[in-house]
Amino acid sequence: MIYRVIWFICRGLFTLFWRYRIRGAHHLPATGPVLVASNHVSYMDPPVVAVGVWRPLRFMAKEELFRGAFARFIRQIGAFPVKRGAVDRAALKQSFDILESGQGLVLFPEGTRGEGGELRAPEMGVGMIAYRAGVPVVPCYVHGTDQAMPRKGGIRLAPISVTYGEPMHFAAPEGARAGRKEYELAAQQIMAAIAALRDAHPVN
């Protein structure tokens, strides 16, 4: 209930004040497990990705956000913590549980916010989850959020948009098992798909 209320509020505000544009939403399955992999340039990115589609999405977020009263709020809207810089088995288990239950999960492969249009090298985890969960991976590109909510603080009324790409699938050949090499390659391919969405993004 809280998720849907926040969804409507954000959708309305984004459209009214930030000229929010949505492209390729039809690429994201309406039901069933799906992994959405997006670039990350602003704290504004999670809601921008979420309100572009109707179905609820869950989020993996850095554990530093889960402190004080704000922790309860972001948990209620579908986020769960992950420890950065280490293998967080609890976060991985929760990711697999979410996907196994048929929900949508959003990850930011870069692990932290980048600068402008530059994309950071992806972490291997997104490739591992893609292979082990065996679910469709939808690349996603958010644009303009670094201007609307810049690192140095404040809020500006700059145009924002989200673009969802065609689903990608990763599976090891029959009788084989994916390992670190395959996970890293998958992460790179996912990041390349996000870069392609960026490069195809309209200038205006």
Side-chain angles (χ1 to χ4, degrees), residues 33 60 62 67 69 88 122 151 157 171 174 196:
M60 182 185 288
K62 64 180 182 179
R67 296 172 181 169
D88 188 336
R151 276 177 175 265
L157 301 184
E174 187 175 352

PDB file of all heavy atoms in Angstrom, residues 33 60 62 67 69 88 122 151 157 171 174 196:
ATOM      1  N   PRO A  33       9.683 -13.261 -12.491  1.00  0.00           N
ATOM      2  CA  PRO A  33      10.959 -12.720 -12.015  1.00  0.00           C
ATOM      3  C   PRO A  33      11.715 -11.978 -13.099  1.00  0.00           C
ATOM      4  O   PRO A  33      11.727 -12.387 -14.257  1.00  0.00           O
ATOM      5  CB  PRO A  33      11.716 -13.979 -11.567  1.00  0.00           C
ATOM      6  CG  PRO A  33      11.161 -15.067 -12.440  1.00  0.00           C
ATOM      7  CD  PRO A  33       9.705 -14.737 -12.565  1.00  0.00           C
ATOM      8  N   MET A  60      18.169  -3.299  -3.977  1.00  0.00           N
ATOM      9  CA  MET A  60      19.303  -3.528  -3.097  1.00  0.00           C
ATOM     10  C   MET A  60      19.959  -2.161  -2.885  1.00  0.00           C
ATOM     11  O   MET A  60      20.287  -1.471  -3.841  1.00  0.00           O
ATOM     12  CB  MET A  60      20.303  -4.499  -3.745  1.00  0.00           C
ATOM     13  CG  MET A  60      21.498  -4.830  -2.877  1.00  0.00           C
ATOM     14  SD  MET A  60      22.720  -5.872  -3.763  1.00  0.00           S
ATOM     15  CE  MET A  60      21.842  -7.439  -3.834  1.00  0.00           C
ATOM     16  N   LYS A  62      22.704   0.397  -0.308  1.00  0.00           N
ATOM     17  CA  LYS A  62      23.821   0.351   0.632  1.00  0.00           C
ATOM     18  C   LYS A  62      23.327   0.420   2.067  1.00  0.00           C
ATOM     19  O   LYS A  62      22.381   1.142   2.393  1.00  0.00           O
ATOM     20  CB  LYS A  62      24.801   1.485   0.342  1.00  0.00           C
ATOM     21  CG  LYS A  62      24.256   2.895   0.528  1.00  0.00           C
ATOM     22  CD  LYS A  62      25.325   3.925   0.204  1.00  0.00           C
ATOM     23  CE  LYS A  62      24.815   5.349   0.426  1.00  0.00           C
ATOM     24  NZ  LYS A  62      25.855   6.360   0.127  1.00  0.00           N
ATOM     25  N   ARG A  67      19.538   3.398   8.573  1.00  0.00           N
ATOM     26  CA  ARG A  67      19.800   3.904   9.924  1.00  0.00           C
ATOM     27  C   ARG A  67      18.724   4.906  10.305  1.00  0.00           C
ATOM     28  O   ARG A  67      18.287   5.709   9.480  1.00  0.00           O
ATOM     29  CB  ARG A  67      21.184   4.556   9.996  1.00  0.00           C
ATOM     30  CG  ARG A  67      22.330   3.585   9.745  1.00  0.00           C
ATOM     31  CD  ARG A  67      23.659   4.305   9.646  1.00  0.00           C
ATOM     32  NE  ARG A  67      24.739   3.361   9.383  1.00  0.00           N
ATOM     33  CZ  ARG A  67      25.976   3.725   9.030  1.00  0.00           C
ATOM     34  NH1 ARG A  67      26.279   5.001   8.918  1.00  0.00           N
ATOM     35  NH2 ARG A  67      26.900   2.798   8.800  1.00  0.00           N
ATOM     36  N   ALA A  69      15.091   6.555  11.483  1.00  0.00           N
ATOM     37  CA  ALA A  69      13.705   6.433  11.036  1.00  0.00           C
ATOM     38  C   ALA A  69      13.611   6.149   9.539  1.00  0.00           C
ATOM     39  O   ALA A  69      12.661   5.509   9.077  1.00  0.00           O
ATOM     40  CB  ALA A  69      12.944   7.712  11.371  1.00  0.00           C
ATOM     41  N   ASP A  88      28.381 -10.052   0.471  1.00  0.00           N
ATOM     42  CA  ASP A  88      27.310 -10.033   1.470  1.00  0.00           C
ATOM     43  C   ASP A  88      26.359 -11.194   1.164  1.00  0.00           C
ATOM     44  O   ASP A  88      25.452 -11.078   0.342  1.00  0.00           O
ATOM     45  CB  ASP A  88      26.573  -8.696   1.415  1.00  0.00           C
ATOM     46  CG  ASP A  88      25.580  -8.532   2.556  1.00  0.00           C
ATOM     47  OD1 ASP A  88      25.134  -9.553   3.099  1.00  0.00           O
ATOM     48  OD2 ASP A  88      25.255  -7.384   2.896  1.00  0.00           O
ATOM     49  N   PRO A 122      31.494  -2.596 -14.073  1.00  0.00           N
ATOM     50  CA  PRO A 122      30.493  -3.281 -13.244  1.00  0.00           C
ATOM     51  C   PRO A 122      31.124  -4.250 -12.260  1.00  0.00           C
ATOM     52  O   PRO A 122      32.221  -4.765 -12.487  1.00  0.00           O
ATOM     53  CB  PRO A 122      29.663  -4.039 -14.282  1.00  0.00           C
ATOM     54  CG  PRO A 122      30.662  -4.374 -15.352  1.00  0.00           C
ATOM     55  CD  PRO A 122      31.549  -3.150 -15.433  1.00  0.00           C
ATOM     56  N   ARG A 151      25.359  15.675  -6.903  1.00  0.00           N
ATOM     57  CA  ARG A 151      26.124  15.218  -5.744  1.00  0.00           C
ATOM     58  C   ARG A 151      26.328  16.317  -4.703  1.00  0.00           C
ATOM     59  O   ARG A 151      26.317  16.055  -3.503  1.00  0.00           O
ATOM     60  CB  ARG A 151      27.497  14.713  -6.195  1.00  0.00           C
ATOM     61  CG  ARG A 151      27.523  13.278  -6.676  1.00  0.00           C
ATOM     62  CD  ARG A 151      28.914  12.925  -7.162  1.00  0.00           C
ATOM     63  NE  ARG A 151      29.023  11.523  -7.516  1.00  0.00           N
ATOM     64  CZ  ARG A 151      29.462  10.574  -6.703  1.00  0.00           C
ATOM     65  NH1 ARG A 151      29.816  10.890  -5.474  1.00  0.00           N
ATOM     66  NH2 ARG A 151      29.540   9.323  -7.100  1.00  0.00           N
ATOM     67  N   LEU A 157      15.259  21.681 -11.466  1.00  0.00           N
ATOM     68  CA  LEU A 157      14.177  21.217 -12.327  1.00  0.00           C
ATOM     69  C   LEU A 157      14.693  20.892 -13.719  1.00  0.00           C
ATOM     70  O   LEU A 157      14.306  21.517 -14.713  1.00  0.00           O
ATOM     71  CB  LEU A 157      13.062  22.266 -12.376  1.00  0.00           C
ATOM     72  CG  LEU A 157      12.455  22.614 -11.014  1.00  0.00           C
ATOM     73  CD1 LEU A 157      11.302  23.577 -11.181  1.00  0.00           C
ATOM     74  CD2 LEU A 157      12.002  21.354 -10.286  1.00  0.00           C
ATOM     75  N   ALA A 171      22.759 -18.238 -19.568  1.00  0.00           N
ATOM     76  CA  ALA A 171      22.667 -19.629 -19.128  1.00  0.00           C
ATOM     77  C   ALA A 171      23.892 -20.389 -19.623  1.00  0.00           C
ATOM     78  O   ALA A 171      24.334 -20.202 -20.760  1.00  0.00           O
ATOM     79  CB  ALA A 171      21.393 -20.283 -19.658  1.00  0.00           C
ATOM     80  N   GLU A 174      24.369 -26.747 -21.640  1.00  0.00           N
ATOM     81  CA  GLU A 174      23.899 -27.936 -20.937  1.00  0.00           C
ATOM     82  C   GLU A 174      25.077 -28.794 -20.476  1.00  0.00           C
ATOM     83  O   GLU A 174      25.992 -29.083 -21.244  1.00  0.00           O
ATOM     84  CB  GLU A 174      22.975 -28.757 -21.843  1.00  0.00           C
ATOM     85  CG  GLU A 174      22.312 -29.917 -21.134  1.00  0.00           C
ATOM     86  CD  GLU A 174      21.305 -30.632 -22.018  1.00  0.00           C
ATOM     87  OE1 GLU A 174      21.019 -30.129 -23.119  1.00  0.00           O
ATOM     88  OE2 GLU A 174      20.814 -31.687 -21.589  1.00  0.00           O
ATOM     89  N   ALA A 196      24.821   1.182 -24.540  1.00  0.00           N
ATOM     90  CA  ALA A 196      24.155   1.317 -25.838  1.00  0.00           C
ATOM     91  C   ALA A 196      22.875   2.148 -25.699  1.00  0.00           C
ATOM     92  O   ALA A 196      22.551   2.954 -26.578  1.00  0.00           O
ATOM     93  CB  ALA A 196      23.832  -0.066 -26.399  1.00  0.00           C
TER      94      ALA A 196
END
